[in-house]
């Protein structure tokens, strides 16, 4: 046991200022690469400037912690274990955000132990992959919500099915004694193709008597509450 403790003590070396500055500068530079990648990949979608800045700061902070304990094997392993069980309680609006958080932590860990080649090469590869694939989005779907008199439900169904060539999926049917509400899910391509005609689906539905309202909502799986 005493031999093990002596070994641990010998592993602790004084950090020089130039080494610390180098690690933080490299971490900041690679953090900016992460910042740029997030900005490009999320342009026109769910972009959060505050979250993007947090990625850079997370990279530098992880490097700072690893710089302080990088020469202590036990503390380094403990730090990695602690980071692996951190629960981010901020709502993640895009599943790709988890990738960027993990990327920032990994770069910080690599820079903190002075492994700049791994951090740089890995970041370059991830940047290219996300540049190519990061802007791929799920196809939006349209939700058609129709409310009218309960006696008109079959007429509504007939009009919707004929308009969208039976490509509209009835997802919800709510009824009361007097009214009916139908919610259809329609692929965006199908909706755009059908809407290229003279009459819109709203015009055709409002020709039915006792229609209360017709709503169209864009549904996107990449956006969560």
């Amino acid at each position: 046991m005493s031999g093990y403790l002596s070994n641990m003590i010998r592993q602790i070396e004084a950090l020089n200022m130039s080494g610390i500055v180098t690690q933080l500068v490299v971490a900041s530079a690679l953090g900016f690469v992460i910042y740029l990648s997030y900005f490009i990949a999320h342009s026109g979608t769910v972009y959060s400037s505050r979250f993007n800045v947090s990625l850079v700061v997370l990279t530098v902070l992880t490097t700072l912690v690893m710089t302080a304990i990088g020469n202590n094997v036990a503390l380094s392993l403990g730090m990695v274990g602690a980071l692996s069980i951190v629960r981010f309680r901020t709502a993640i609006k895009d599943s790709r955000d988890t990738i960027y958080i993990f990327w920032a932590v990994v770069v910080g860990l690599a820079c903190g132990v002075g492994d700049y080649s791994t951090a740089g090469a890995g970041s370059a590869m991830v940047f290219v992959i996300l540049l190519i694939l990061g802007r791929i989005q799920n196809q939006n779907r349209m939700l058609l919500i129709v409310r009218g008199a309960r006696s008109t439900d079959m007429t509504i169904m007939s009009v919707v099915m004929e308009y969208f060539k039976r490509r509209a999926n009835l997802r919800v049917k709510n009824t009361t004694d007097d009214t009916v509400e139908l919610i259809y899910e329609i692929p965006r391509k199908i909706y755009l193709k059908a809407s290229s005609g003279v009459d819109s689906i709203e015009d055709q539905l409002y020709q039915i008597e006792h229609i209360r309202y017709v709503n169209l909502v864009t549904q996107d799986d990449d956006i969560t509450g």
Side-chain angles (χ1 to χ4, degrees):
M1 185 66 177
S2 59
Y4 176 78
L5 292 175
S6 300
N7 239 356
M8 294 296 300
I9 292 173
R10 282 195 298 269
Q11 289 177 358
I12 303 175
E13 299 174 359
L15 297 173
N16 59 80
M17 185 56 65
S18 62
I20 296 174
V21 171
T22 300
Q23 290 176 338
L24 294 178
V25 168
V26 174
S28 299
L30 292 178
F32 180 75
V33 171
I34 298 174
Y35 178 97
L36 185 62
S37 174
Y38 184 87
F39 179 81
I40 295 173
H42 288 69
S43 177
T45 59
V46 188
Y47 175 74
S48 170
S49 58
R50 289 183 296 179
F51 178 79
N52 204 1
V53 171
S54 298
L55 292 174
V56 181
V57 177
L58 177 61
T59 305
V60 175
L61 285 177
T62 305
T63 299
L64 184 62
V65 173
M66 289 304 297
T67 298
I69 65 175
N71 292 309
N72 189 314
V73 176
L75 288 177
S76 298
L77 293 176
M79 177 61 185
V80 173
L83 288 172
S84 67
I85 62 174
V86 168
R87 295 181 63 185
F88 296 94
R89 296 188 179 275
T90 302
I92 300 297
K93 296 182 178 297
D94 191 321
S95 58
R96 292 173 296 175
D97 291 352
T98 307
I99 297 174
Y100 282 96
I101 293 173
F102 188 66
W103 184 7
V105 171
V106 169
V107 168
L109 291 173
C111 290
V113 296
D115 194 352
Y116 307 129
S117 57
T118 299
S123 293
M125 182 61 68
V126 174
F127 185 91
V128 172
I129 292 173
L130 291 175
L131 183 64
I132 297 173
L133 304 178
R135 302 193 69 172
I136 295 177
Q137 304 172 33
N138 289 344
Q139 179 186 5
N140 292 339
R141 297 185 297 274
M142 306 299 295
L143 294 182
L144 174 65
I145 307 171
V146 186
R147 187 179 182 87
R150 188 173 180 181
S151 59
T152 63
D153 60 343
M154 297 305 296
T155 306
I156 295 172
M157 292 183 197
S158 177
V159 170
V160 172
M161 285 296 134
E162 182 178 353
Y163 188 85
F164 293 108
K165 310 299 182 184
R166 302 190 176 278
R167 297 292 302 275
N169 300 314
L170 179 61
R171 294 301 187 189
V172 179
K173 181 178 180 180
N174 297 320
T175 61
T176 66
D177 289 341
D178 302 320
T179 64
V180 62
E181 183 181 69
L182 304 174
I183 302 178
Y184 287 90
E185 184 182 79
I186 307 159
R188 187 174 182 84
K189 289 183 179 179
I190 300 300
Y191 171 78
L192 293 175
K193 182 178 180 180
S195 300
S196 60
V198 178
D199 293 335
S200 67
I201 183 61
E202 299 97 310
D203 293 336
Q204 293 199 15
L205 287 171
Y206 278 122
Q207 291 177 11
I208 304 172
E209 291 185 359
H210 308 301
I211 291 294
R212 303 284 183 85
Y213 59 74
V214 178
N215 291 335
L216 280 167
V217 180
T218 299
Q219 184 184 35
D220 190 343
D221 288 341
D222 287 336
I223 303 177
T224 56

